[in-house]
Amino acid sequence: MASVAVRVPQELSARVPVEQREPGRDRDGVRLLVSRGTEVSHHAFAELPGLLRAGDLLVVNTSPTLAAAVDGRIGHTRVVVHFSTRGDDGRWAVELREPDGRGTTRARAGGGGGGAPAPAPAAAGGPAGTKVRLPGGARLVLEEPLSARGERLWWARVLRAEVPGLLREYGRPIRYSYTERDQPLSVYQTVFALPSGDGTGSAEMPSAARPFTARLVAELVSRGVQFAPVTLHTGVASAESHEPPYPERFAVPEASARLINTTRVGDGRVVAVGTTAVRAVESAAGADGVVRARAGWTDLVVTPERGVRVVEGLLTGLHEPEASHLLMLEAVAGRAAIDRGYEAAVRGRYLWHEFGDVHLLLP
């Protein structure tokens, strides 16, 4: 597991979006740390158009964020269901968590409820056959763990309701304990989000794109920076164990594949906006470095050993020092650049997490 040798003080967690921290500011009012190798510079995010050049290509994720947290009950015990990923067979991968009394959740210490014995902590997601009562008369039944890696995520069937409608009516965005309060879903949508035909989307916001505004996008386009839309529906991250991502659904359309390939043979740089965009593009790239239109599931984990075939730069949030995402950052920019950048971010009092500041890694 990758990690950087910095300690991030709790007060550097962004507890609310910048437009609530500093009234009068827009989403693009966050700070931007720029790493070119081990050389670091400090900017406002609104300066991004001046840091890129004509011919550069930003790869952006169009996945919309879902209101993926829904309250439920197992017997008399309250739980919160985090809907992660829709399977091809109509089942959903879910994580069951327990409310922590502060409006957020924590990992379950064990199941049970309604007089049933609590299973051991290792089976906190199960056991198979566990039934969860959901609002509006819906029922959720756990069927099997998603992966042999552990029992945090389970495949489940929802009865008496369609999940997209259930989330629209009763869901709220997933949030973690470092945030201050619930936010409307609009706060978690990026300017690039497009509704999907089947009601699926991301359980957690593709947050690197959050600071973009329509005005900033227009300025980038006017300066000759292009955009390539891709889609990757991101599942529920592990707040506690920082495990690698599970398989996720993605699509790289033909037009975007063409744009990426054209940029690579010209003078432009392919810069991914977020780790989700990296995963999508690299999943569609052959060993020859050519990107081809692809859609389906990806289980690719980008590591320094695997390297990147296409992406030359990355705009990303600041990740916890032990997060598995850091392996991807290291694959793009090298270990020394990540270490130096994170030291500078802590020293410069940058803010972490989805409402925080951003980091641009350039060749």
Side-chain angles (χ1 to χ4, degrees), residues 28-32 43-49 208 211-212 216 315 358:
D28 58 8
V30 296
R31 299 167 70 197
L32 176 64
H43 304 268
F45 185 77
E47 294 173 50
L48 181 66
F212 284 88
L216 191 72
L315 180 73
V358 277

Side-chain angles (χ1 to χ4, degrees), residues 71-81 131-135:
D71 293 322
R73 284 186 180 272
I74 301 173
H76 299 301
T77 303
R78 292 175 59 216
V79 294
V80 178
V81 183
K131 295 180 176 63
V132 183
R133 297 199 313 279
L134 298 174

Side-chain angles (χ1 to χ4, degrees), residues 283-354:
S283 296
D288 54 2
V290 175
V291 176
R292 296 169 178 87
R294 274 196 67 193
W297 290 84
T298 177
D299 58 3
L300 176 68
V301 178
V302 178
T303 63
E305 293 71 37
R306 189 267 186 191
V308 283
R309 296 170 177 171
V310 176
V311 171
E312 297 158 89
L314 173 60
L315 180 73
T316 182
L318 292 163
H319 304 282
E320 290 181 8
E322 61 275 25
S324 61
H325 288 309
L326 291 173
L327 288 169
M328 181 185 287
L329 272 60
E330 196 178 321
V332 173
R335 179 61 189 247
I338 305 307
D339 284 345
R340 182 66 60 86
Y342 271 61
E343 288 163 13
V346 171
R347 227 178 16 252
R349 310 292 290 171
Y350 280 72
L351 295 181
W352 255 251
H353 302 303
E354 67 267 31

